[in-house]
Amino acid sequence: MELSTIGVVGLGQMGFGMASSLLRAGFAVLGHDISLARQEAARAAGIAVAAAQQEVLSQADALVFSLPYARDVEAVATAPGGLLARPGRRVVLIDTSTSDPVTTRRLAARLEAAGHGLLDAPVSGGPAGAAAGSLTMMVGGTAGDLAAVRPVLEAMAARVVHVGASGAGNIAKLVNNMLVAAHLVTAREALRLSEAAGLPAAEALAVINAATGRSAATEVMVPRWVLPGGFDSGFTAGLMRKDVRLAAELAEAVGLDLPLAAEVRRLWEAAAPTLPDAADFTRMADYRAAEEAPHG
C-alpha cells in the first residue's frame, strides 16, 4: 500500500501534534478542522490544509481522525462524497479518538463493506506525546490493516500495541481511563488526609511514589500539574467525564455490577459545578480545593 499522503481530520492539540509528527517523519500531510484558527495554525506549521473535509477523505492514502466523540467519527467517515464513495483501493482509517466499541464495530463493518479498513487506535500520552511522536497506541482491528499502516502509526507512537479485533482498542482505553479517573480521586483524598494530619502533600508523595501506593496520578499528574498549580495537561475534565461514562455504560452492557466504578462516575458528574468540562482534568486531584470537591 502506497503511503505518501496522510489525511488528518481534527487539528486540535492532539491532532495537530500527530500531524506534526507525521510531517517530521517525511509524510505529506493534508489536514482539516472546522476551526479556522486551527487551520491557520496548521498552515503556519507547514501542514497543508484542505478547506473541505471531503478533500481529505477522497485524496489521502491513509486517514487519521482525532475527534471528540464517536458520533463525530461516524458522521465524518460516512459523509456523502467522502470515504464511502472511494472505489478501487483500500484506505485504512486510524481513529485515535476514544469511542465506544459498539459504534466502532458498526463503523468498521460499514467501511469493510465499502472496501476500506478501520483501526480503533486510542492513545495515551497527551499533547506533549502527540507532538513528540511518543504516544502509546492501543489498536483494535485486523492484523492486515495494522501492517498496512504501521509506518504511519510508528511515526506517531513510541509503542503500538495490537490488543485484538475491532473495538478492542477502545475497550483497553476505557479500562485504562476508568482507573485514571479513580486514581485522581483517591490521590486527592490521600493528600487531603496527609495535610490534615500534619504531613505536607509533597512529603507524602515522596513516600507514596517510592512505595506501593503510587500511580500515574501520583508519579506524574500531581507533581507536574497539581503541585505547581498549572493544570495545563491538555486533557479536559469533559473528555474524562465522557470516558468514565462510556466505561460505566460498557459495564452495564456486559452485565457487570462495578460499585467503585459507579461511585467514581458519580463523583466526576457531581463535580461539574466546580470542575466544568473545559477545565483541566487534573484539577480533580487538587487536594487544596477540597472544600469544593463533591461529597454527596
Side-chain angles (χ1 to χ4, degrees), residues 23 73 85 93 139 149 156 182 201 219 221 245 259 266 278:
L23 193 66
V73 172
L93 164 57
V139 182
V149 296
M156 300 183 291
E219 288 187 306
M221 298 171 192
R245 173 181 56 79
R266 186 192 71 79

Side-chain angles (χ1 to χ4, degrees), residues 12 16 25 27 81 86 104 133 135 143 160 167 190 211 232 245-246 258 276:
F16 178 85
F27 293 103
R86 288 185 68 169
T104 294
L135 295 167
V160 177
D232 55 356
R245 173 181 56 79
L246 289 175
L258 302 178

Side-chain angles (χ1 to χ4, degrees), residues 143-161:
D145 284 338
L146 174 61
V149 296
R150 182 171 282 278
V152 178
L153 302 177
E154 291 180 345
M156 300 183 291
R159 294 189 63 207
V160 177
V161 184

Side-chain angles (χ1 to χ4, degrees), residues 26-281:
F27 293 103
V29 179
L30 181 62
H32 175 75
D33 196 286
I34 58 174
S35 165
L36 294 178
R38 289 175 182 171
Q39 290 183 28
E40 288 305 313
R43 287 192 186 96
I47 298 167
V49 176
Q53 68 183 23
Q54 285 81 359
E55 294 179 49
V56 181
L57 300 176
S58 63
Q59 296 177 25
D61 299 313
L63 293 163
V64 176
F65 279 16
S66 180
L67 299 170
Y69 299 103
R71 62 177 180 267
D72 301 321
V73 172
E74 191 167 32
V76 174
T78 60
L83 186 55
L84 295 181
R86 288 185 68 169
R89 59 162 298 173
R90 186 176 185 84
V91 176
V92 177
L93 164 57
I94 303 161
D95 178 20
T96 67
S97 318
T98 301
S99 183
D100 66 275
V102 173
T103 300
T104 294
R105 290 165 181 159
R106 180 176 65 241
L107 180 57
R110 189 167 178 186
L111 290 177
E112 183 63 41
H116 303 302
L118 173 67
L119 297 176
D120 50 299
V123 297
S124 178
S134 61
L135 295 167
T136 293
M137 190 171 282
M138 47 218 86
V139 182
T142 70
D145 284 338
L146 174 61
V149 296
R150 182 171 282 278
V152 178
L153 302 177
E154 291 180 345
M156 300 183 291
R159 294 189 63 207
V160 177
V161 184
H162 188 200
V163 291
S166 180
N170 279 318
I171 294 170
K173 181 63 182 293
L174 292 177
V175 168
N176 179 80
N177 278 17
M178 181 178 76
L179 284 170
V180 174
H183 291 164
L184 286 167
V185 172
T186 55
R188 182 190 72 222
E189 294 194 354
L191 296 178
R192 282 183 64 203
L193 175 60
S194 181
E195 290 257 328
L199 178 64
E203 301 300 326
L205 275 175
V207 174
I208 292 167
N209 289 334
T212 54
R214 65 187 183 276
S215 67
T218 63
E219 288 187 306
V220 178
M221 298 171 192
V222 172
R224 184 177 298 176
W225 295 301
V226 178
L227 287 180
F231 301 109
D232 55 356
S233 74
F235 190 74
T236 68
L239 289 175
M240 179 55 86
R241 218 169 256 125
K242 178 205 73 173
D243 292 353
V244 170
R245 173 181 56 79
L246 289 175
E249 290 173 354
L250 181 60
E252 293 170 6
V254 299
L256 285 182
D257 178 22
L258 302 178
L260 181 55
E263 177 64 7
V264 170
R265 179 187 183 183
R266 186 192 71 79
L267 288 170
W268 275 86
E269 291 179 348
T274 55
L275 186 67
D277 283 353
D280 196 88
F281 84 118

